[in-house]
Amino acid sequence: MRVLLVEDDDTLRESATAFLRASGFAVDPAGTGKMARSLAAVSPYDVVVLDIRLPDDDGFVLCTALRARTPAPRVLMATARDAVEDRIAGLDLGADDYLVKPYALGELVARVRALMRRPDHAAPTLLRVEDLVLDPATREAGRNGRVITLTTKEFAVLEVLMRAPGRVLTREFIGEHAWDDNFDPMSNVIDVYIARLRRKVDADGDVPLLSTVRGAGYRLAVPSRG
């Protein structure tokens, strides 16, 4: 899933970005409110980690603007330990959760994953398509009783597909949600990962779920029997 990390502290922003990426998230870092607004204007985000105190922008106004986008991202607000009023104000403006700074990077990842599982955003704890099951919390996948071992990026691509079962997803859509702004839309990297997933998900004897729609993209669904 794609995360926008808005943090003006260079050291924290770089370490949090690296940790989130190592945990399987596509992350776009922003050091200013202006940069965050520019990124949000062109890319869809599933979660925004937002430092409320920014040097060039009002974090509360930015929170409201981000939540007004369609689809609205989940917002994890980062505040100083003693800024109780900031937490209350942020939650009142629509932030989904808050994280007290300085925070442990492991807690940051856990909070982001928890937001992705909240049912009020139609994000079930377990993702299922027929007998294929994926758990975003434990990073585990399986089908028909067998464990499917996935790399971090394979998991990210499969999660994008499983959150839109039956839909034809373009390469650009998959790239936007499974990669960050380093993704090269002209490369064949999506095709490579789809081929890997097809070998793992659609093993011998399983009904094939992952299909290519020529000229359009990829779809995860039970094939038509008509």
Side-chain angles (χ1 to χ4, degrees), residues 1-5 20 25-29 45-49 112:
M1 292 290 100
R2 194 163 186 175
V3 176
L4 174 61
L5 175 66
L20 284 164
F25 295 98
V27 185
D28 292 337
Y45 291 100
D46 302 290
V47 175
V48 177
V49 181
V112 171

Side-chain angles (χ1 to χ4, degrees), residues 181-201:
D181 53 4
N182 294 316
F183 174 68
D184 179 5
M186 302 303 294
S187 74
N188 70 337
V189 65
I190 300 292
D191 309 85
V192 171
Y193 276 100
I194 292 292
R196 292 180 182 176
L197 284 173
R198 185 175 279 119
R199 289 194 294 269
K200 294 184 176 184
V201 171

Side-chain angles (χ1 to χ4, degrees), residues 1 13 28 78 87 117 125 171 184 186 211:
M1 292 290 100
R13 185 175 65 254
D28 292 337
R87 292 176 228 161
R117 297 197 303 271
T125 301
R171 290 174 177 81
D184 179 5
M186 302 303 294
S211 61

Side-chain angles (χ1 to χ4, degrees), residues 6 55 76 118 134 147 164 168-169 182 203:
V6 188
L76 176 60
R118 287 197 175 178
L134 183 143
V147 175
V168 178
L169 303 184
N182 294 316

Side-chain angles (χ1 to χ4, degrees), residues 3-186:
V3 176
L4 174 61
L5 175 66
V6 188
E7 172 57 61
D8 70 319
D9 183 283
D10 294 340
T11 300
L12 179 55
R13 185 175 65 254
E14 291 171 6
S15 59
T17 296
F19 199 88
L20 284 164
R21 285 175 175 168
S23 300
F25 295 98
V27 185
D28 292 337
T32 64
K34 180 179 180 180
M35 183 180 296
R37 290 175 184 272
S38 296
L39 290 170
V42 297
S43 301
Y45 291 100
D46 302 290
V47 175
V48 177
V49 181
L50 175 62
D51 181 4
I52 286 297
R53 298 298 177 182
L54 296 170
D56 69 326
D57 205 339
D58 184 321
F60 299 110
V61 174
L62 179 55
C63 177
T64 301
L66 292 170
R67 288 288 296 159
R69 301 193 63 81
T70 303
R74 304 151 180 83
V75 176
L76 176 60
M77 180 180 56
T79 69
R81 184 172 301 278
D82 57 352
V84 178
E85 295 82 1
D86 283 355
R87 292 176 228 161
I88 294 172
L91 292 170
D92 284 344
L93 288 172
D96 297 274
D97 196 3
Y98 69 86
L99 191 60
V100 175
K101 297 174 63 177
Y103 50 76
L105 296 178
E107 182 182 5
L108 169 63
V109 169
R111 293 294 186 92
V112 171
R113 286 180 178 163
L115 286 182
M116 294 302 300
R117 297 197 303 271
R118 287 197 175 178
D120 56 340
H121 288 285
T125 301
L126 292 179
L127 301 176
R128 298 178 184 272
V129 177
E130 290 298 303
D131 54 356
L132 176 63
V133 181
L134 183 143
D135 189 338
T138 63
R139 316 293 289 177
E140 296 175 344
R143 185 174 184 194
N144 198 25
R146 64 180 174 87
V147 175
I148 300 175
T149 302
L150 301 171
T151 66
T152 297
K153 192 55 69 177
E154 288 170 352
F155 189 98
V157 173
L158 183 58
E159 184 177 2
V160 172
L161 290 163
M162 291 191 70
R163 289 187 183 277
R167 287 177 52 194
V168 178
L169 303 184
T170 65
R171 290 174 177 81
E172 291 77 11
F173 183 94
I174 296 171
E176 286 175 351
H177 287 79
W179 271 262
D180 47 39
D181 53 4
N182 294 316
F183 174 68
D184 179 5
M186 302 303 294

Side-chain angles (χ1 to χ4, degrees), residues 129-131 143 205-209 219 221-226:
V129 177
E130 290 298 303
D131 54 356
R143 185 174 184 194
D206 287 330
V207 175
L209 294 178
R219 175 169 53 203
V222 177
S224 170
R225 290 175 172 79

